[in-house]
Amino acid sequence: QVQVVESGGGLVQAGGSLRLSCAASERTFTKYAMAWFRQAPGKERECVSAISWSGRSTYYAVFVKGRFTISRDNAKNTVYLQMNSLKPEDTAVYYCAAGLVYSDSMVPTSNREYGYWGQGTQVTVSS
């Protein structure tokens, strides 16, 4: 059973930056692809970014490409999401998710592929 805990959310002005962190309890962290999803009020949960178990493969949604960077430190069982040039439309609850994915050449982007979820952290970007 993998437990993931997000941190780093908060309130920031448009154009600012935040770094989200997600710590996983699982000592076999390297077996898991990791992803960040977000859900704004009244909208469906969407995949923001994902990273394969080694970090070799990454995915970015078109609306964050060039602004957000996902990374992971397997020695610390932690995945990060560096968010720059934030926009008011980035306001949402951000969720970290872990999925048991053996492939290192692709990362899933469907929430159905991720079996373990954190409680979420609120990111609010003011205009």
Side-chain angles (χ1 to χ4, degrees):
Q1 186 78 7
V2 180
Q3 292 182 324
V4 293
V5 179
E6 306 97 336
S7 62
L11 174 63
V12 65
Q13 288 189 333
S17 299
L18 284 174
R19 189 175 82 153
L20 304 183
S21 298
C22 172
S25 64
E26 178 57 48
R27 61 184 176 89
T28 56
F29 182 63
T30 52
K31 290 184 179 180
Y32 293 84
M34 302 295 294
W36 289 96
F37 288 76
R38 72 185 187 187
Q39 188 167 19
K43 294 188 177 181
E44 292 190 354
R45 191 171 297 189
E46 58 187 358
C47 185
V48 174
S49 185
I51 189 166
S52 64
W53 65 266
S54 76
R56 170 187 167 191
S57 300
T58 57
Y59 163 83
Y60 295 97
V62 63
F63 48 80
V64 303
K65 195 170 290 186
R67 300 188 297 124
F68 292 9
T69 303
I70 192 170
S71 61
R72 65 189 293 161
D73 185 339
N74 286 343
K76 296 182 178 180
N77 285 10
T78 301
V79 63
Y80 305 97
L81 185 68
Q82 178 67 43
M83 305 186 296
N84 298 330
S85 302
L86 283 161
K87 305 175 181 179
E89 50 264 44
D90 293 318
T91 295
V93 177
Y94 284 70
Y95 297 91
C96 178
L100 193 58
V101 178
Y102 296 106
S103 172
D104 199 31
S105 61
M106 58 79 69
V107 283
T109 59
S110 167
N111 57 11
R112 294 187 299 272
E113 299 288 338
Y114 293 89
Y116 304 97
W117 293 80
Q119 293 299 307
T121 185
Q122 177 70 46
V123 171
T124 303
V125 184
S126 62
S127 57

